[in-house]
Amino acid sequence: MVRRIEVTGAGGVRLAAWEFTDPPKGDGGPEGGERRPGVLLLHGLMGRASHWADTARWLGARYRAVALDQRGHGRSEKPADGPFDRAAYVEDAIAAVEQLGLAPVTVIGHAMGALTAWQLAARRPDLVGALVICDMRASALGAASQREWAEWFATWPLPFATLADVRRWFGEEDPSLERPRPARGAFFAEVMAERADGWRPVFSRRQMLTARETWVTDAHWEELAEVRCPALVVRGQDGELGRAEAQEMVRVLPGGSYAEIPDAGHLLPWEHPDAWQRAVEPFLRAAIPG
């Protein structure tokens, strides 16, 4: 079962959270009863909570797994004027943890969601018991990276006539691809909605660039060093996070550990879901009591 839960984020922004299993009586409530450890799943830039469905289902055997549509994404509000800075995303995550009664929570984040996750853990160690960082760099990417993204957005052949066209373009025809990646096509098909003229993204590309500015120009090593809970850094062999930087992140994290998935790219949880589960599940069992 999947149920939608409304969360009020920073500045009153309406956020949609999705719980993928029935919580036992007493989860997050004052009446007591059985309570499973909470897990908050945070998608990356352009993602949405539904991308975590498969991960949430295997987590649901032991944990209360909740995925959040972050502001500007999925079914959550997309305020025209933002803000889409780091503080807003972290405050939204804090609101989700507190309003849903998930603390002490394990936060699993992909890309932008991973940055939000470790900033949350650094700012509110009382709320976070463990952390999984999936393919997110701590170093600043530089202004050239932002220009490349703006140019890439301009190449999208919008609107797409069909979802099959979405899958084909993002999985095979996108000039930025070095080789076909069907999982990438499926990933982008999940974030398209049918309009009168065809299929278009559910997010604003302008807002995505605004959100991205907050880690293109800034590095986040100091916040990483402030994380005190156990933390797992996971990278794909062909992902955006290089091995040397990933291992340095593990060194900087006081309780850091490392996992690498061969033949996987940036979307490693969806390209190799079984390997992703094998990397994450033992860490969770060791890090989360009960």
Side-chain angles (χ1 to χ4, degrees):
M1 177 180 175
V2 181
R3 67 185 184 116
R4 176 175 171 173
I5 311 169
E6 296 296 326
V7 173
T8 302
V13 170
R14 296 186 303 277
L15 305 172
W18 305 85
E19 186 162 4
F20 286 85
T21 53
D22 284 325
K25 185 178 180 181
D27 253 14
E31 69 273 16
E34 182 185 357
R35 189 183 190 280
R36 286 174 294 173
V39 177
L40 180 66
L41 296 146
L42 298 176
H43 60 74
L45 191 74
M46 303 183 294
R48 66 187 306 171
S50 60
H51 280 137
W52 288 117
D54 288 343
T55 295
R57 290 187 182 105
W58 61 257
L59 285 170
R62 291 175 56 88
Y63 313 105
R64 182 187 174 199
V66 178
L68 181 68
D69 275 333
Q70 296 176 82
R71 62 173 57 210
H73 297 76
R75 295 290 185 88
S76 287
E77 192 173 356
K78 303 166 179 63
D81 298 322
F84 294 101
D85 56 15
R86 287 283 84 223
Y89 282 105
V90 175
E91 289 166 11
D92 287 347
I94 291 171
V97 173
E98 292 183 333
Q99 291 172 34
L100 300 177
L102 295 172
V105 69
T106 294
V107 190
I108 299 176
H110 174 251
M112 179 191 77
L115 176 56
T116 301
W118 86 62
Q119 290 180 318
L120 166 61
R123 178 174 166 182
R124 291 293 304 273
D126 57 310
L127 296 181
V128 183
L131 177 66
V132 177
I133 297 168
C134 180
D135 209 57
M136 181 61 189
R137 299 183 60 183
S139 299
L141 303 182
S145 172
Q146 190 76 339
R147 290 194 300 271
E148 290 167 2
W149 267 66
E151 292 168 359
W152 175 60
F153 277 149
T155 68
W156 290 18
L158 297 173
F160 292 95
T162 69
L163 279 180
D165 292 333
V166 174
R167 295 186 185 97
R168 182 167 54 252
W169 196 83
F170 285 102
E172 302 173 20
E173 298 174 355
D174 183 346
S176 68
L177 284 174
E178 294 181 357
R179 60 185 175 89
R181 291 193 177 274
R184 188 173 184 263
F187 182 95
F188 278 96
E190 188 79 11
V191 294
M192 297 288 164
E194 190 172 19
R195 311 298 187 195
D197 60 348
W199 293 83
R200 294 181 177 273
V202 298
F203 50 80
S204 158
R205 288 173 291 171
R206 176 186 59 82
Q207 290 181 350
M208 296 301 99
L209 286 173
T210 300
R212 194 173 185 271
E213 286 175 0
T214 60
W215 70 85
V216 167
T217 55
D218 298 326
H220 299 283
W221 291 99
E222 291 183 4
E223 292 155 306
L224 197 70
E226 294 171 358
V227 174
R228 291 291 176 262
C229 64
L232 174 67
V233 176
V234 188
R235 69 174 291 268
Q237 194 172 40
D238 298 323
E240 297 181 7
L241 174 61
R243 180 178 294 149
E245 183 172 353
Q247 292 177 345
E248 179 63 11
M249 289 170 65
V250 171
R251 189 192 69 78
V252 168
L253 284 160
S257 55
Y258 177 73
E260 182 175 305
I261 298 179
D263 302 319
H266 180 58
L267 299 177
L268 59 97
W270 303 281
E271 293 177 337
H272 295 285
D274 293 340
W276 162 251
Q277 182 175 350
R278 288 194 299 271
V280 173
E281 198 166 34
F283 167 78
L284 297 182
R285 288 181 178 270
I288 304 174

